[in-house]
Structures are given as C-alpha cells and as structure tokens.
Amino acid sequence: MNNRAFLYGDSVRVSFFVHRSKIVLAEECYFFLMASMRKMRMAIPLSYTLEFFQNLFAEKVIEAGISDGVINFHVYRNSQESLLSKREISFYFEVDSPRNILEMQRAFEIDLIKEISVNTNVLSGIHVHSPENIYAEVYAADNELDDVIFLNPNKRIARTTIGNLLFLTGNTIKIPKQSEGAFVSPLMESFVTFLHQNKLAVIEEAELIAFESQKAEEIIIISDEKGIFPVMKIRNKTFEKTRLSEMVSAWSASFA
C-alpha cells in the first residue's frame, strides 16, 4: 500500500475546470497546485509543468467526450524508506460531470456550527485532509442543512465545508480574508477580479463577525470542487439571489 492519502491523509487536492471542451483558468489552478504541494513540503516532479496537465486533461477528459465538469486532482506521497520530503509522489483524479462550474447551482440552507472551529495557519487555505469538514458534513446532514459556516478561533467567519462565502450589501461584496481561515480559490479570485475590473461591485476582504451573515442582502458560496450556490436561508432569515445571479451570469459570459 503506497497511498499515504489513504493511510495518513498525506495529500493535497486542487480542482481544474472544463468548460465547453476547454480547460479554463488552467494557469491559475496549476499555480495553486504547485503552491499547495510546497506548503505540504512535497517533492514536485520536474515533469509537473502546465503543459503536462493541459495535455493530460485534454487526452483523458476532453477527448473522452466530457465538455463540462470539474476535475478533482489529488496528489499524495508514496510510502518509501526515505525522508518524507524526498519521497516520490503519485496522483489520482476524477471528474464530476456534467457540471457547469460557471453557473449558479441550486439554493442552499445553511447555519453556523459552533462545536468546532477551523484554524488560520498556512495550511488552512489549501485542500488537505480536514476532520473538521467530515464532522461538519455529518452535522449538516443530521440537521437537514446543505452546508454550515465555520468560525475561526477568534469567533469570526472563515468559510463553509465546501468553499468561501461572499456577502453582498449595497454595492459592496465582503469576503473573509484568507488569514481568517478561508480557502485559496482560483474560481473565486476569477469572479471577484471580473467584478472589480468591470466596476460591478466593490470588493472588500474583511474580518467578519458571525452577525454579518444576518446583515447581508445576498450571499453565495463559491466552491472550486462543487460550484456556486446561492444561500437562501440562514435560520429564520431568507435572502434574495437576483443581483449576484446577474453578476455570475455576466462573469460566465466572459468565458465565451
């Protein structure tokens, strides 16, 4: 058994995106993978170039007939008799298809989870083994919720189990800072950059207390693995999705 991902959770995961038979945001996702591997002190093979991944996914995904989907790419350290930082790595990927990652998905009902929190260290922003996520997914299912909001040890909003939260109030979209425990997200960065460049909203990275979730007019979750979901209800408060849906549609159209 060489799979340390299975044995010890010694792996990282990054999503790549197929849209209309093309790999979109390939460079952004590639650099996120490289950064994630460095943070986990993995030995990066010289063959791991952007072209390697573009050719791999073109052959194994696009040429296999998949025109829209999410490629969830896992890299793990092998079990060998050598220093952990020197061990060879292997990869595995699977495709969630059909899924248009650039469109709004179904509405979510969410709530805060207070029993556990997520950390704010250098590993918090990358996709590694997270027992907090597993616990929270079970908690959400048991309470008939679609997802839950994690707080960090300072009792401020960090993220959900699957992605990052964006809060729209007026013309401002507030996003928890990465230092608060939010994920690094090529998908979200592309979206907010589009909004900023086209002056569709003011983007503010902030430290957000839990009450901020009740003050917002609209909320979405952006997940590199699952997609974009409007939040329709948190406890007794319901939210609209009109303006953020229009912004997502405009952003999606920019990939045409």
Side-chain angles (χ1 to χ4, degrees):
M1 171 62 71
N2 288 330
N3 191 332
R4 282 180 56 86
F6 174 77
L7 293 172
Y8 309 110
D10 186 4
S11 67
V12 297
R13 185 186 76 252
V14 171
S15 297
F16 289 81
F17 313 116
V18 183
H19 178 64
R20 296 181 179 176
S21 299
K22 295 181 181 179
I23 305 296
V24 297
L25 302 176
E27 187 171 330
E28 292 86 345
C29 297
Y30 168 74
F31 284 119
F32 181 36
L33 174 61
M34 295 299 101
S36 298
M37 293 177 68
R38 290 189 189 101
K39 288 178 180 179
M40 283 294 286
R41 299 183 180 274
M42 290 182 168
I44 301 175
L46 293 177
S47 62
Y48 273 29
T49 63
L50 175 59
E51 291 73 21
F52 169 81
F53 290 101
Q54 289 174 320
N55 293 336
L56 173 68
F57 299 142
E59 178 185 352
K60 300 295 185 181
V61 180
I62 295 173
E63 291 178 11
I66 295 174
S67 58
D68 289 278
V70 180
I71 304 167
N72 290 309
F73 189 88
H74 302 255
V75 179
Y76 58 91
R77 232 182 303 253
N78 295 334
S79 295
Q80 299 165 320
E81 295 300 324
S82 62
L83 291 174
L84 276 175
S85 60
K86 303 296 183 182
R87 293 185 185 182
E88 295 180 356
I89 63 163
S90 298
F91 68 80
Y92 163 81
F93 67 87
E94 57 188 4
V95 184
D96 185 359
S97 176
R99 180 186 294 274
N100 188 343
I101 197 71
L102 305 180
E103 290 184 352
M104 197 85 88
Q105 308 292 321
R106 66 180 180 85
F108 269 19
E109 179 178 350
I110 66 175
D111 202 349
L112 295 167
I113 185 168
K114 297 181 179 179
E115 288 90 339
I116 55 176
S117 61
V118 293
N119 292 321
T120 58
N121 60 42
V122 69
L123 299 181
S124 300
I126 64 176
H127 296 279
V128 293
H129 173 64
S130 174
E132 296 89 350
N133 273 10
I134 297 169
Y135 178 96
E137 287 176 16
V138 175
Y139 174 92
D142 287 346
N143 289 277
E144 299 183 340
L145 298 168
D146 297 295
D147 203 350
V148 293
I149 299 175
F150 278 121
L151 303 180
N152 62 29
N154 297 315
K155 306 299 182 184
R156 294 194 294 261
I157 293 173
R159 59 173 176 83
T160 75
T161 63
I162 64 169
N164 291 329
L165 290 150
L166 291 78
F167 302 90
L168 174 66
T169 304
N171 194 43
T172 300
I173 292 179
K174 292 185 177 180
I175 306 166
K177 295 179 179 178
Q178 287 180 11
S179 59
E180 293 290 280
F183 285 132
V184 177
S185 168
L187 197 66
M188 186 189 74
E189 290 177 5
S190 171
F191 177 62
V192 299
T193 298
F194 173 83
L195 298 183
H196 173 71
Q197 291 177 342
N198 290 275
K199 299 181 179 179
L200 297 178
V202 176
I203 307 301
E204 180 182 337
E205 290 188 293
E207 297 175 350
L208 304 174
I209 61 173
F211 183 66
E212 198 78 30
S213 65
Q214 296 291 302
K215 292 168 56 180
E217 296 167 4
E218 299 186 17
I219 304 172
I220 58 173
I221 299 169
I222 295 185
S223 166
D224 284 14
E225 183 180 5
K226 301 292 185 180
I228 304 172
F229 302 88
V231 174
M232 299 301 290
K233 187 176 182 181
I234 301 178
R235 296 187 179 178
N236 294 322
K237 180 168 181 179
T238 57
F239 301 88
E240 297 296 325
K241 63 175 184 177
T242 305
R243 293 171 62 202
L244 282 170
S245 292
E246 292 173 351
M247 294 179 190
V248 170
S249 294
W251 169 66
S252 178
S254 71
F255 287 86

